[in-house]
Amino acid sequence: MLNHPTKSRKKLLVIVLMLLKNLIILFLSLLILSCSKQTAKYDLGISNVNLIDGTGSPIQEGVSVYINKGKIVEINTLTTHQIENVIDGTGKYLIPGLFDCHVHTTSFQEDFPKLIHYGVTSVFVPGGSTCTNDYYATLRSIGNQDSIPAPRVFHTSQHFTMEGRHPVKTYASSNWKEGETVFFLKDTAQIAEIVKEVAKYPILGIKLTIEDGPAPPFVERMPQDFINKTVSEAAKYGLEVFAHVSDNEEFLMAVKGGAQNIVHFVGIEIDWENDEHISAINKLLDREGSIVTTLMIDKSFIYPLNPEWLKTPSIIEAYPAVELKKLLTPQAIGRAQKMAALTKLEYGLDEISMESLFLSKVEDIQRLLDLGMNITLGTDAGNSFNFHGYSLHEEMQILEMGGIAPRDIIKMGTLNAARMMHVQDSLGSIEPGKLADLILLNANPLASISNCLDINTVIKNGVIQKRIDK
Ligand SMILES: [Zn+2]
């Protein structure tokens, strides 16, 4: 028997309707899914901004940067996504978070908010009188969260030095404790054991102090065979050596011994006609080593002779004026006069000015950059008249005064620094896939590097950081 034609048509209609219904449900659920994905795709965006990405590339206009789960996920010039959390970057400038590659802190509770205030989202700590393993662990853990303002922390081992030498004798403090905040090398045979001990911790390398002290009476330098042995032992654990030197002789000793990094560039006067100097530079280039600028050390020595420097609006943002005034003690001024006299003598200067102190130094830095040396910005903040966060901007201004282009200065404070920390795959520039450490500026830093102080927003790990209230 044949089916009744209307009955089978009805059946077909039911099937078609059911299919249609399922299709509509599928379509709607796909739509909902894609919408929810769309809103969850970005936690934060910065739209229509001028981008200086830290790689040294030219500025890009009208760029939108999107962040998700702490990372930069998209950079484009064509589309702006409609998302909840967006900062209008029109007329503003976006640069990577800055690194200060030479910072000391005895009170991170005080210093860390200041670093973040001035856009310093990563620091490198090469030892210090409070740097026990526990103190370093605390610095790292505070640096790894984003709710309390704090930079990411990279660091070396404790100081490797010798009894009666720098910095324990020259910067006397009851905090220097052998085996805790400092290691006194007694003979080369003992170095293997100490390197093995510090290699248990997440350090970037060994802090090796060769220096004979900042001023007379000088102490003795670390002997060459101690330097050589420290470098070869460190290499067994994949650790580099960060040499603390203060003049040409120590610079040459460090390079001869195999050290990869130089943590200060003050006191070194490169003689470009001297084969020994050129050979040392070539060795550092071959090792892909780094040099940290720290020109702020020389500026800090003469700070008390220039009290007007303590009155600039930018420093007062985070450092109360009354506190700054208190720093100008008769002792501080006396010390500065002594250092100025010594510097005049050492460099054969008639007068101490920013130009006389720094022009030839910055020229050397430019020549080294041209040769491909990885030079990074650092201040030695934590010493007198060397201010956490603020002084990194002073460092940049000295380099600009000496003729280095702002775009290169920014690269030294971002991508070059990340290279020194070996984190260039995740930090140091504004590129998709990297961690979102960013500074939004109100003015163009390429017009004047001092515009890096005109900060609108500091972002670390994709999270807007609280700055100090003015
Ligand atoms: Zn230092």
Side-chain angles (χ1 to χ4, degrees):
M1 208 178 113
L2 289 168
N3 272 344
H4 195 274
T6 52
K7 213 176 174 184
S8 67
R9 220 176 283 144
K10 229 180 190 172
K11 213 173 172 183
L12 192 72
L13 196 72
V14 171
I15 292 169
V16 169
L17 278 173
M18 267 177 69
L19 266 172
L20 208 66
K21 190 183 142 200
N22 283 339
L23 268 173
I24 290 169
I25 290 170
L26 187 72
F27 175 73
L28 281 175
S29 49
L30 275 173
L31 192 76
I32 290 165
L33 201 68
S34 76
C35 282
S36 64
K37 253 190 173 171
Q38 192 71 36
T39 48
K41 204 171 165 188
Y42 310 112
D43 296 328
L44 178 65
I46 300 135
S47 66
N48 193 33
V49 76
N50 299 298
L51 178 69
I52 299 155
D53 65 10
T55 64
S57 302
I59 192 165
Q60 301 170 63
E61 292 170 6
V63 176
S64 295
V65 176
Y66 295 96
I67 295 158
N68 191 37
K69 295 189 174 68
K71 280 188 178 170
I72 299 158
V73 290
E74 191 181 323
I75 299 175
N76 74 58
T77 46
L78 301 171
T79 333
T80 38
H81 300 294
Q82 295 306 312
I83 62 166
E84 208 176 303
N85 255 337
V86 70
I87 303 171
D88 181 5
T90 307
K92 297 186 172 64
Y93 298 80
L94 193 66
I95 64 169
L98 295 165
F99 284 67
D100 186 333
C101 293
H102 196 136
V103 167
H104 301 285
T105 174
T106 52
S107 169
F108 63 86
Q109 297 92 333
E110 254 181 60
D111 301 334
F112 279 4
K114 292 186 174 104
L115 286 156
I116 287 293
H117 178 84
Y118 291 105
V120 180
T121 53
S122 296
V123 294
F124 179 60
V125 182
S129 64
T130 52
C131 292
T132 58
N133 291 321
D134 285 347
Y135 190 73
Y136 269 148
T138 306
L139 296 186
R140 287 194 307 273
S141 73
I142 305 276
N144 283 339
Q145 53 76 53
D146 335 297
S147 39
I148 307 163
R152 300 176 193 276
V153 176
F154 302 89
H155 62 85
T156 60
S157 68
Q158 289 80 1
H159 275 271
F160 277 34
T161 182
M162 298 169 83
E163 210 156 5
R165 311 261 171 116
H166 187 69
V168 178
K169 186 168 182 193
T170 43
Y171 290 133
S173 156
S174 57
N175 285 329
W176 293 118
K177 288 195 183 88
E178 185 177 9
E180 291 182 35
T181 55
V182 65
F183 290 100
F184 292 136
L185 310 183
K186 293 173 187 73
D187 53 62
T188 52
Q190 170 224 23
I191 292 173
E193 198 53 42
I194 304 178
V195 172
K196 188 179 170 192
E197 173 59 28
V198 299
K200 291 176 190 161
Y201 298 91
I203 58 173
L204 224 68
I206 308 288
K207 168 72 180 276
L208 184 66
T209 303
I210 303 172
E211 178 176 357
D212 56 0
F218 291 112
V219 293
E220 274 187 72
R221 297 188 171 108
M222 169 88 55
Q224 185 70 54
D225 54 338
F226 283 60
I227 303 169
N228 306 354
K229 182 69 175 167
T230 304
V231 173
S232 63
E233 287 302 322
K236 292 181 185 167
Y237 302 90
L239 294 172
E240 295 184 350
V241 167
F242 291 81
H244 174 132
V245 303
S246 66
D247 59 28
N248 284 349
E249 198 173 331
E250 294 160 6
F251 170 66
L252 295 174
M253 288 169 77
V255 178
K256 189 177 173 194
Q260 292 84 357
N261 307 284
I262 306 292
V263 298
H264 312 113
F265 193 60
V266 287
I268 303 169
E269 290 286 294
I270 295 175
D271 178 354
W272 296 93
E273 308 294 320
N274 183 323
D275 290 345
E276 216 184 335
H277 286 206
I278 302 300
S279 146
I281 289 164
N282 285 332
K283 278 184 187 152
L284 270 189
L285 284 167
D286 285 346
R287 288 172 205 159
E288 297 183 356
S290 298
I291 298 178
V292 187
T293 54
T294 67
L295 304 183
M296 259 315 289
I297 295 176
D298 281 346
K299 185 174 176 183
S300 72
F301 285 154
I302 56 162
Y303 230 97
L305 306 179
N306 298 271
E308 70 280 5
W309 290 344
L310 295 171
K311 291 179 185 154
T312 64
S314 304
I315 191 172
I316 294 162
E317 277 181 17
Y319 290 86
V322 280
E323 296 298 321
L324 291 174
K325 217 173 163 189
K326 280 187 207 158
L327 298 175
L328 292 171
T329 59
Q331 291 90 328
I333 295 167
R335 228 180 2 250
Q337 282 161 343
K338 192 178 144 201
M339 283 314 282
L342 276 172
T343 308
K344 272 189 196 169
L345 213 64
E346 196 184 333
Y347 297 135
L349 302 173
D350 296 330
E351 44 130 21
I352 296 284
S353 66
M354 289 296 282
E355 286 79 7
S356 67
L357 273 181
F358 295 117
L359 286 185
S360 73
K361 185 113 282 196
V362 179
E363 213 173 281
D364 286 347
I365 291 175
Q366 181 68 66
R367 278 182 86 161
L368 289 168
L369 283 173
D370 292 343
L371 289 170
M373 187 72 78
N374 194 53
I375 302 198
T376 70
L377 302 184
T379 55
D380 218 345
N383 287 296
S384 305
F385 298 96
N386 205 332
F387 303 97
H388 291 96
Y390 177 72
S391 286
L392 191 72
H393 294 269
E394 297 187 275
E395 187 81 20
M396 295 197 286
Q397 288 165 25
I398 296 170
L399 295 167
E400 187 186 46
M401 179 196 76
I404 300 187
R407 198 165 75 193
D408 296 334
I409 298 172
I410 292 169
K411 183 167 174 269
M412 291 160 79
T414 56
L415 191 56
N416 288 9
R419 276 200 187 120
M420 184 171 114
M421 314 294 151
H422 302 297
V423 293
Q424 68 271 30
D425 292 337
S426 56
L427 283 170
S429 62
I430 304 175
E431 294 176 271
K434 288 203 174 181
L435 295 167
D437 287 7
L438 309 162
I439 317 173
L440 187 64
L441 302 172
N442 294 316
N444 186 357
L446 303 187
S448 166
I449 204 72
S450 63
N451 285 337
C452 285
L453 280 163
D454 194 353
I455 296 174
N456 179 287
T457 309
V458 177
I459 296 164
K460 180 191 149 210
N461 216 27
V463 180
I464 294 175
Q465 299 293 299
K466 195 182 174 304
R467 298 184 67 222
I468 294 166
D469 289 332
K470 286 181 193 172

